[in-house]
Amino acid sequence: MRVGAFVLAAQFPGQGQGEALHRAVRTAEVAEEAGLDAVWLAEHHFVPYGVCPSAVTLAALMLGRTRRLRVGTAVSVLPSTHPVALGEQTALLHLTSGGRFTLGVGRGGPWVDLEVFGGGLDSYENGFPEALDLLRRWLTETRVGASGERYGFREVAVVPRPSESLDGDGTGPEVVVACTSPASVRLAARRGLAMLLGMHCGDEDKAAMVAMWHREALAAGHSREHLAGVGHVSAGVCQLADRTADARETLLKSMPGWLKQGLDAHVTVDGRVRAMRDPVGYTELLCDLHPVGTPRLAADRLAATSERTGITRFALLTEGSGDLAATEENVRRLGAEVLPRLGRDRRTSSPASEATG
C-alpha cells in the first residue's frame, strides 16, 4: 500500500495566498521526511479553494526539493492547456527527476477558465478524449502530427523524448485520469490508464468504478497482466489525533469556512446554475468516509478501503486544519503512526472500536 499527501494549497479564511503555497511546499518536504510515498498536487484558477494555478510548475519545485518522493498532479486540467505543451513539460520533469513524476489529468469543470484560456465550452464537453490521445502519443512516440477536430499540425520531433531517461525503465511517465462518471471510467479503461477517484466517493462507489474499469479494459483488449500492474488512486482526507472526536472537531472548525469561500468563488462559463454542497454536511461526510481519527482508526479505514476496492494508492488531504504547524504534525503522525500499522495484523481492532476513542 502506498500512501501520499493530497496538496490543494487551500487558502483558508483570513490567510494570504503565499501562506497557502508555503504550507503546500512544506507538506512535500515533511512528507519525504515522514516516509510517505508521494504528494499529489491540485490545480485551480481564480479561486481560493486552491491557489496553485499550475500543478506541473509546483511539481518541478517539489521534485527539486526532494530526493525520493514521487510527485504527481491531481490534476492538470487538459481543456485549459495544449496537450503538446503539457507533454513537453511532463517529459522534462520525468527525465530530470529520474522518473519520479506522475501526470494526472482531468476534464475540469465548466468554469470561466475555459473563457480565459480560450478552450471554450466544447473543449470541456467534447474535446477531452482527443486531447488525452494526443498527449499520450507525445509521451510515447518519436514524431507526432495531428489532424483532429481541435488539433491539427504537421509532424514534428518529440524533444525531449521521455523514454530516454537514463535512470528510468524506458517506458515514459505514468498517466492517471481523474474519473467522476461512467464515461470517464470507460475512457480511462479503454486506454488502460489508472484512475484517480474523488474524495466524495465511498468504498461502495469506488469498488463499482474499479469493477467497471476492469470490464471495459478487458473488452478493449488489454491483457490481465497489464491490468494487474495498473494502480488506481483513491483521494481522501486524513486528520489524526489521540481521540477521534478531536480529529473530527479540528476539521469541523476549519473546513466548512474554507469550502464555502472556495467553492462559492467558482464562476461558470455559461451561467449555468450550480448545486453546491452544504459545507458542514460535506465535512461530516468526509470525516465518516476517510481516515479521520486515531492512528489505529486511520489504518483500519485505509486497509478496509483497499480490501473492498482493490485500490492500493491513496492521496490524502492533510492540510484540513488550515494551520502550518498542525499540518506538519499531521503528516509526521501519518508516517510514524499509521504507515507501520498498515503492515500489521489488525484482526484485534476495528474502526467501530476506535470511533469513540
Side-chain angles (χ1 to χ4, degrees):
M1 194 178 300
R2 291 182 282 169
V3 177
F6 183 24
V7 178
L8 271 77
Q11 182 184 2
F12 286 75
Q15 292 182 350
Q17 295 161 5
E19 183 177 352
L21 289 168
H22 175 64
R23 188 176 63 246
V25 173
R26 282 297 296 153
T27 297
E29 293 172 338
V30 176
E32 174 156 91
E33 296 168 5
L36 272 63
D37 173 74
V39 291
W40 297 86
L41 311 177
E43 175 177 296
H44 298 88
H45 297 279
F46 322 126
V47 293
Y49 181 77
V51 301
C52 170
S54 173
V56 290
T57 301
L58 188 57
L61 173 66
M62 291 184 172
L63 286 166
R65 291 282 185 95
T66 58
R67 292 293 175 266
R68 175 196 56 81
L69 198 71
R70 292 197 63 84
V71 178
T73 61
V75 292
S76 296
V77 182
L78 264 182
S80 296
T81 189
H82 196 291
V84 170
L86 184 59
E88 289 181 323
Q89 294 164 338
T90 299
L92 188 62
L93 294 184
H94 175 72
L95 288 164
T96 56
S97 70
R100 289 191 290 131
F101 179 66
T102 296
L103 177 66
V105 294
R107 196 165 67 110
W111 312 127
V112 71
D113 315 9
L114 298 167
E115 174 185 321
V116 174
F117 296 113
L121 192 59
D122 184 65
S123 68
Y124 163 74
E125 294 182 333
N126 304 305
F128 186 67
E130 180 186 348
L132 178 60
D133 288 339
L134 176 55
L135 171 66
R136 293 182 65 225
R137 288 179 57 210
W138 192 268
L139 295 176
T140 56
E141 299 177 9
T142 59
R143 295 183 65 85
V144 174
S147 58
E149 293 185 9
R150 182 169 180 81
Y151 301 103
F153 54 87
R154 71 188 71 181
E155 188 177 87
V156 293
V158 175
V159 179
R161 289 180 56 195
S163 61
E164 294 186 358
S165 173
L166 297 177
D167 300 321
D169 57 10
T171 59
E174 178 188 27
V175 178
V176 175
V177 179
C179 294
T180 58
S181 67
S184 55
V185 172
R186 285 191 290 269
L187 181 143
R190 291 169 183 170
R191 291 155 178 81
L193 299 175
M195 298 185 293
L196 171 67
L197 302 180
M199 64 175 64
H200 61 284
C201 297
D203 290 351
E204 184 176 347
D205 289 337
K206 288 181 178 178
M209 296 173 83
V210 170
M212 178 183 178
W213 184 93
H214 275 277
R215 291 193 302 269
E216 294 285 341
L218 288 172
H222 294 286
S223 68
R224 293 186 182 275
E225 290 76 16
H226 170 76
L227 302 188
V230 175
H232 304 301
V233 184
S234 174
V237 175
C238 178
Q239 187 65 40
L240 302 172
D242 293 334
R243 299 192 318 137
T244 293
D246 293 338
R248 294 177 67 97
E249 182 180 7
T250 294
L251 297 187
L252 284 166
K253 283 182 176 180
S254 58
M255 287 185 65
W258 159 61
L259 288 169
K260 179 172 176 52
Q261 171 182 274
L263 296 176
D264 281 353
H266 281 87
V267 176
T268 57
V269 69
D270 56 355
R272 70 180 66 181
V273 177
R274 299 174 298 134
M276 304 301 293
R277 293 178 178 268
D278 171 66
V280 175
Y282 187 40
T283 302
E284 291 176 335
L285 172 66
L286 296 176
C287 289
D288 292 338
L289 292 177
H290 299 300
V292 175
T294 66
R296 177 171 291 180
L297 171 64
D300 284 341
R301 284 191 174 170
L302 290 170
T305 294
S306 183
E307 182 176 351
R308 294 166 185 161
T309 65
I311 295 172
T312 57
R313 292 198 287 177
F314 293 87
L316 302 177
L317 177 71
T318 55
E319 61 187 301
S321 66
D323 179 76
L324 174 59
T327 298
E328 291 184 3
E329 180 185 8
N330 200 33
V331 173
R332 290 192 175 97
R333 294 194 70 172
L334 177 58
E337 300 178 51
V338 177
L339 295 190
R341 294 177 184 273
L342 295 176
R344 297 177 184 172
D345 184 352
R346 294 176 318 283
R347 289 177 296 179
T348 58
S349 64
S350 67
S353 68
E354 289 290 318
T356 57

